[in-house]
Amino acid sequence: MTDFFGGAALNSSIKDTAILLAAFGTTVPGADGVYAQIESRARCLFPGVDIFWAYTSKVVREKLAAQGLVFNSPVQALGLMAESGFSRVALQSLLIIPGLEHHDLIRTRAALEGLPKGIQRISLGAPLLSTTRDLQRFTQAMLENVPPKREPGEAVIFMGHGSLHPANALYAALQYHFWILDQNIYVGAVEGTPGLEDIIPLLQKNRIRKALLLPLMVVAGDHALKDMAGRQTESWASVLQAMGIETKVTMKGLGAYENVREIWLDHLRDAVASLKDVH
Ligand code: CO
């Protein structure tokens, strides 16, 4: 078991330290089971440390509130944690890329750290894909998670979200790292580049006959259900089928894979470790 703060400071530090897990959120019933898996692993790694949740999406929070399910924004959660007397918080970004939502967390952290009678220190854990090392770890992990025996005409296609933020370029970087390992793995984004229209010519060139579609998102939520696997003609599954590609879908978010969860948890470990530098 990892030593949390090391040595004698352990017990006194745990009491004023907490973890805040910040996810985009989902309105799809059951999809949040993935969040529970992430939380239970965090509990295991940091026994005795309080763990809180925040959803970054206002739209998701409002939809859930209409069903009587109340979730805090990161700002609200940090405010409540300050009121509860926590003075050090490891804020872990459960996002995929450091896009707009993650940059909001950066600004939230900067604004709320060190307020009078507030939280002295807030550290921010990186999202899933930030560094070259993350891209290498993630591509290797997913290669272990997709079916191993694939024919030359069988492709694996990931549908990411995409972002207006320059971090959208990480999808192209991820594609590069997949291609080092496997030429028939493709990465696209539903609201960014590369899009399905960029992948299609490659599928044709490589004479792809079969494809497995997977969400490159934390949970298999709304986009996975509709834009990836939906029955309407514009969904990725329908477009590929119409091209004569036999298409299967996997309704499993990235957070459902243990070897992928470990990347986020290592980022959380770094965020927790960086809290101890402050006195
Ligand atoms: Co969207």
Side-chain angles (χ1 to χ4, degrees):
M1 188 55 65
T2 319
D3 195 12
F4 183 58
F5 270 109
L10 187 65
N11 288 328
S12 61
S13 299
I14 269 186
K15 289 192 197 87
D16 68 2
T17 300
I19 289 168
L20 176 58
L21 301 174
F24 183 79
T26 180
T27 54
V28 174
D32 57 356
V34 160
Y35 294 153
Q37 284 178 293
I38 295 172
E39 180 182 329
S40 80
R41 182 74 178 126
R43 284 198 190 287
C44 230
L45 290 172
F46 306 103
V49 178
D50 285 304
I51 299 177
F52 299 88
W53 276 94
Y55 282 1
T56 66
S57 167
K58 194 173 184 199
V59 172
V60 167
R61 290 196 311 271
E62 283 174 352
K63 280 190 188 167
L64 292 172
Q67 301 165 29
L69 302 165
V70 177
F71 284 87
N72 292 313
S73 69
V75 170
Q76 288 171 320
L78 287 166
L80 291 168
M81 290 163 86
E83 283 304 304
S84 304
F86 293 104
S87 58
R88 300 164 199 237
V89 173
L91 166 58
Q92 178 56 46
S93 172
L94 294 180
L95 301 165
I96 306 286
I97 60 166
L100 295 173
E101 299 285 323
H102 183 77
H103 279 76
D104 284 349
L105 292 178
I106 293 174
R107 286 157 62 208
T108 298
R109 181 204 155 271
L112 297 191
E113 186 181 61
L115 291 180
K117 296 173 187 162
I119 301 168
Q120 272 175 50
R121 169 95 176 107
I122 304 170
S123 61
L124 179 58
L128 183 68
L129 307 175
S130 295
T131 62
T132 299
R133 174 87 190 106
D134 294 336
L135 293 167
Q136 288 167 337
R137 273 186 79 182
F138 174 73
T139 50
Q140 195 60 57
M142 285 313 293
L143 207 64
E144 291 165 20
N145 299 336
V146 295
K149 289 197 188 96
R150 278 171 288 118
E151 308 279 310
E154 293 180 16
V156 172
I157 304 171
F158 286 96
M159 190 186 81
H161 192 274
S163 179
L164 295 172
H165 190 275
N168 184 78
L170 277 157
Y171 292 105
L174 181 63
Q175 176 67 87
Y176 167 80
H177 284 278
F178 269 128
W179 278 343
I180 291 172
L181 302 173
D182 187 323
Q183 286 293 310
N184 274 339
I185 297 184
Y186 303 87
V187 177
V190 64
E191 292 176 26
T193 48
L196 184 59
E197 67 282 8
D198 300 307
I199 297 175
I200 285 171
L202 304 173
L203 301 178
Q204 288 168 331
K205 188 175 137 224
N206 295 330
R207 299 178 196 287
I208 297 301
R209 310 300 311 158
K210 286 186 184 178
L212 175 67
L213 266 176
L214 297 95
L216 186 76
M217 302 184 197
V218 185
V219 302
D222 224 35
H223 282 299
L225 281 170
K226 293 179 185 147
D227 303 303
M228 188 185 84
R231 283 168 181 269
Q232 74 275 21
T233 50
E234 327 80 72
S235 79
W236 287 27
S238 300
V239 170
L240 295 170
Q241 289 280 12
M243 287 173 59
I245 296 173
E246 191 189 314
T247 305
K248 287 190 182 144
V249 296
T250 298
M251 295 306 284
K252 204 172 160 182
L254 298 179
Y257 301 98
E258 203 233 317
N259 56 4
V260 176
R261 285 199 296 274
E262 284 311 308
I263 303 174
W264 272 298
L265 287 153
D266 280 347
H267 293 172
L268 172 59
R269 231 188 286 252
D270 291 344
V272 169
S274 78
L275 288 174
K276 74 178 162 188
D277 305 333
V278 172
H279 305 285

